[in-house]
Amino acid sequence: DIMLLPQHKNDDHANLTMHQLLRLVYVDQITAPTKILRYDTVYDSANIRQAIGEYMLGLDDLDVHRLRQELLEDEKSFSKVDGELKAIYRLLGRDKKSFRAIQIQEEINKVDERIKELQQQKLEVRFKKLEDLDENQKLRALNVLEEINSYSLKIERLNSEKNELSSEIVDSTLFLQSIDYRIKSLTESQVTSEYLGGLDFKYCPACLNPIQGGDNHDECGLCKNKHSDGEFRKSHIHMLNELNFQKRESELILKNNSDRFDSVKMEIPIYESLLSKAKTNYSDYLQSSSSIESEISSISTEIGFAESQLESLKERLELSRSIEILIDEKEKLIVSISRTKDLIDQKKEQGKNRYEDVCKNLESSTISIVKKDLDFETDFVHSHEFDFSFPRDRMALNGKSKFSASSMVLLKNSFRLAILLESTKDRGYRFPRILLMDNIEDKGMMPERSHNFQNVMVELCEEIETPYQVIYTTSMISPELDDTEYCRGKFYKRGDHTLEI
């Protein structure tokens, strides 16, 4: 994010990390000189290597990244929906047809009518004769009353939790909006600072008196504390990371609260239904007569059975609607996946021209560097063809992929240098324009050959007009470059160590 590079997933749906990008930036001593990328024993595959090459050389359209993300999300959603449907179908077995919404609704209407008839019968029986409740009925009525109190308390707690969650969700949403605004403002402030530089105050904003001094650019004109551009960038990165961390935490809290809110909303109607039934039962006990209890009990049993049928039918109806929603969602995802794959193929087809141009320019640049080598390798002097493959992690010059160890080292570094040079000319590259070479003197490299490569590298880099950085380590410094502006640190002779312990 700080380098303004887009996120990327390779064909295995794995994230391309900064570690993987650095495998092309850093030329180390341990990796075999026949390999393009730095050796990695854990996170390495043909797909990862291809993703590194395509990403760094800008061979894949930015839209392809976005489309791949969309395709990945759609495929995950499709797998989830398809899995849910298969699980439901396995559960239903041969009973799929009985879950048609129209048929279930007709059955619900019939049971509703039957319940109304039974309630009317019970009402007629209830008013035939009224007598006091016997002890058993009183005990049952008290039990039902406890249920009513329990359900009422549960509903009250759920409503209270629902209100609290609603308030939390609103707060989290507003807080996220605030963080997004702060991230946007922080980014804008950095851009403004880079273009305008620091602000110099002539008068104190507190007392309006003229400010004395101000000649030292390494300190603040107001508080006189030391500061530097590097410290400002560090502070900016620190604040940006902190805001991004807060954003991720808040998004997680918002998701958890939203999930719980939805769960509570589903629980409340269930307990309200139970409370309604309990109140009806309590009313029945209060209004029933002992002499007609058996008759009312019989009717109530029928009503209870019909209500259980009704609940079962409603659950089937809800499941039927869920199945229809899943089927509709599955069909939409199939269309979306097909459309996205077509767009990716279309973008890849359009990107073939860029692929050919990039490969052609890299081939030309690498060959021009190799030809500047001394007469140690005949194929280098008469080089006319250079091929490379990131998935296979190999290079070939004039159709050959194996030379002497020192020649392979020089070929590898020439290719890496060519990538840097092309990245400064082609805005489509995502190579960060920094190169670390730490192996040029490996595998029996002759001093004069190393000196020549150093001189060629400096000569080519001096023509670069855009910002870049090359870090090059050597124990065989070219005499033409020794003690020049390019050298950092002293030269360590035999017995003179970098760490004096």
Side-chain angles (χ1 to χ4, degrees):
D1 289 338
I2 294 168
M3 296 176 70
L4 303 179
L5 290 173
Q7 296 289 340
H8 172 75
K9 289 184 183 291
N10 60 32
D11 290 340
D12 293 329
H13 303 311
N15 284 313
L16 192 62
T17 63
M18 184 61 71
H19 164 76
Q20 296 294 346
L21 302 188
L22 292 175
R23 291 177 65 190
L24 189 61
V25 171
Y26 175 37
V27 193
D28 67 313
Q29 296 182 9
I30 298 175
T31 304
T34 56
K35 303 292 185 182
I36 297 176
L37 300 171
R38 184 179 184 275
Y39 183 58
D40 190 325
T41 57
V42 182
Y43 303 105
D44 188 49
S45 68
N47 282 338
I48 288 178
R49 293 192 293 268
Q50 181 177 2
I52 294 171
E54 290 182 350
Y55 185 87
M56 295 285 261
L57 305 185
L59 298 178
D60 46 355
D61 194 296
L62 283 175
D63 284 340
V64 175
H65 290 287
R66 177 182 56 80
L67 291 170
R68 279 177 176 168
Q69 302 297 322
E70 292 179 5
L71 180 61
L72 177 61
E73 293 301 320
D74 283 348
E75 287 177 341
K76 283 183 179 179
S77 300
F78 178 83
S79 297
K80 181 180 178 183
V81 170
D82 190 50
E84 289 179 8
L85 278 172
K86 287 179 179 177
I88 292 171
Y89 289 151
R90 281 197 298 267
L91 185 64
L92 298 180
R94 298 178 181 177
D95 199 28
K96 296 178 186 176
K97 293 182 180 179
S98 65
F99 278 80
R100 293 177 59 187
I102 297 175
Q103 182 181 339
I104 296 172
Q105 191 60 55
E106 290 176 355
E107 292 184 44
I108 288 175
N109 295 337
K110 290 179 182 178
V111 175
D112 265 333
E113 289 298 323
R114 179 57 181 160
I115 290 174
K116 289 177 182 177
E117 291 175 5
L118 290 170
Q119 287 175 340
Q120 183 62 32
Q121 289 179 23
K122 188 169 70 170
L123 191 62
E124 292 172 358
V125 172
R126 181 180 293 153
F127 287 102
K128 287 180 181 178
K129 184 178 179 183
L130 294 175
E131 296 178 357
D132 294 334
L133 297 174
D134 58 27
E135 290 301 321
N136 288 333
Q137 286 176 308
K138 288 181 180 179
L139 183 59
R140 292 174 188 170
L142 287 173
N143 290 336
V144 174
L145 186 60
E146 288 181 3
E147 288 182 5
I148 291 172
N149 292 333
S150 175
Y151 293 145
S152 298
L153 183 60
K154 182 67 176 179
I155 291 171
E156 183 181 350
R157 288 175 178 172
L158 287 172
N159 280 319
S160 176
E161 185 179 2
K162 177 185 171 184
N163 292 334
E164 289 178 5
L165 287 169
S166 178
S167 178
E168 289 283 344
I169 289 170
V170 171
D171 288 344
S172 296
T173 302
L174 293 174
F175 184 63
L176 279 170
Q177 291 175 355
S178 171
I179 289 179
D180 287 335
Y181 178 77
R182 291 171 65 189
I183 291 174
K184 179 175 176 291
S185 300
L186 187 61
T187 305
E188 290 174 349
S189 70
Q190 184 195 23
V191 174
T192 303
S193 176
E194 288 175 355
Y195 277 94
L196 299 181
L199 293 177
D200 293 327
F201 288 86
K202 292 184 178 180
Y203 299 93
C204 175
C207 65
L208 303 181
N209 284 318
I211 295 176
Q212 302 298 325
D215 294 332
N216 190 350
H217 297 291
D218 292 333
E219 65 180 27
C220 174
L222 287 177
C223 65
K224 307 304 179 184
N225 285 323
K226 297 287 184 181
H227 68 80
S228 66
D229 292 339
E231 289 298 323
F232 174 78
R233 283 193 291 271
K234 287 180 183 177
S235 299
H236 171 264
I237 292 172
H238 175 74
M239 292 173 66
L240 186 61
N241 286 339
E242 181 65 26
L243 288 172
N244 283 326
F245 175 76
Q246 291 180 14
K247 183 178 180 179
R248 288 193 295 270
E249 290 292 308
S250 298
E251 286 173 342
L252 180 61
I253 292 171
L254 178 60
K255 182 181 181 303
N256 292 336
N257 286 339
S258 297
D259 291 344
R260 178 56 187 159
F261 182 80
D262 293 338
S263 176
V264 169
K265 280 179 65 179
M266 293 175 64
E267 286 185 58
I268 290 174
I270 295 173
Y271 282 101
E272 286 177 342
S273 176
L274 292 172
L275 177 61
S276 177
K277 288 181 182 178
K279 286 181 177 180
T280 302
N281 291 337
Y282 185 68
S283 177
D284 289 344
Y285 283 124
L286 292 180
Q287 296 179 21
S288 297
S289 171
S290 57
S291 61
I292 56 174
E293 180 182 355
S294 59
E295 190 175 352
I296 289 181
S297 177
S298 176
I299 296 173
S300 296
T301 301
E302 283 191 67
I303 291 175
F305 178 73
E307 287 178 340
S308 65
Q309 274 188 309
L310 187 63
E311 287 298 321
S312 177
L313 287 169
K314 286 181 178 179
E315 288 177 3
R316 284 171 59 188
L317 181 62
E318 187 66 29
L319 181 57
S320 171
R321 287 170 178 165
S322 298
I323 292 173
E324 290 176 357
I325 291 172
L326 288 172
I327 291 173
D328 184 55
E329 189 175 350
K330 181 179 177 180
E331 291 174 350
K332 289 179 180 178
L333 286 169
I334 290 173
V335 173
S336 178
I337 288 171
S338 177
R339 179 186 62 82
T340 305
K341 285 183 176 179
D342 289 342
L343 286 173
I344 289 175
D345 291 339
Q346 182 182 342
K347 293 286 185 182
K348 284 184 176 180
E349 192 66 29
Q350 294 172 353
K352 283 184 178 179
N353 292 334
R354 171 165 174 78
Y355 180 84
E356 292 173 359
D357 290 341
V358 167
C359 292
K360 181 180 178 182
N361 291 336
L362 270 178
E363 177 186 18
S364 175
S365 184
T366 304
I367 288 175
S368 67
I369 297 172
V370 167
K371 281 187 173 182
K372 295 178 184 295
D373 182 37
L374 303 179
D375 296 336
F376 285 93
E377 195 75 56
T378 304
D379 281 294
F380 281 24
V381 177
H382 303 289
S383 57
H384 57 83
E385 180 185 4
F386 175 75
D387 296 312
F388 62 92
S389 170
F390 282 99
R392 295 165 63 189
D393 202 13
R394 63 179 293 275
M395 304 164 290
L397 187 69
N398 294 349
K400 295 182 181 180
S401 57
K402 289 188 178 180
F403 298 93
S404 66
S406 57
S407 293
M408 287 303 305
V409 169
L410 192 134
L411 179 62
K412 179 176 182 176
N413 282 273
S414 297
F415 178 48
R416 294 291 194 87
L417 180 58
I419 292 176
L420 174 69
L421 296 173
E422 290 301 315
S423 72
T424 63
K425 295 182 267 185
D426 187 343
R427 296 181 63 86
Y429 273 66
R430 299 190 193 97
F431 192 80
R433 296 176 184 169
I434 178 172
L435 193 59
L436 173 57
M437 294 179 168
D438 189 33
N439 81 330
I440 192 67
E441 285 141 23
D442 198 10
K443 316 300 181 188
M445 178 68 67
M446 298 292 290
E448 58 268 31
R449 199 176 189 187
S450 175
H451 295 166
N452 178 71
F453 182 81
Q454 295 172 37
N455 295 332
V456 168
M457 177 183 65
V458 171
E459 178 187 343
L460 293 172
C461 287
E462 284 180 336
E463 297 175 1
I464 298 175
E465 297 179 355
T466 57
Y468 73 96
Q469 184 177 25
V470 176
I471 301 173
Y472 183 96
T473 64
T474 177
S475 58
M476 298 186 293
I477 182 76
S478 168
E480 297 177 27
L481 301 176
D482 196 13
D483 292 328
T484 64
E485 59 178 332
Y486 300 115
C487 297
R488 290 293 178 269
K490 69 176 184 177
F491 185 87
Y492 290 87
K493 300 177 182 178
R494 186 184 297 273
D496 187 8
H497 304 292
T498 57
L499 296 179
E500 297 179 358
I501 298 177

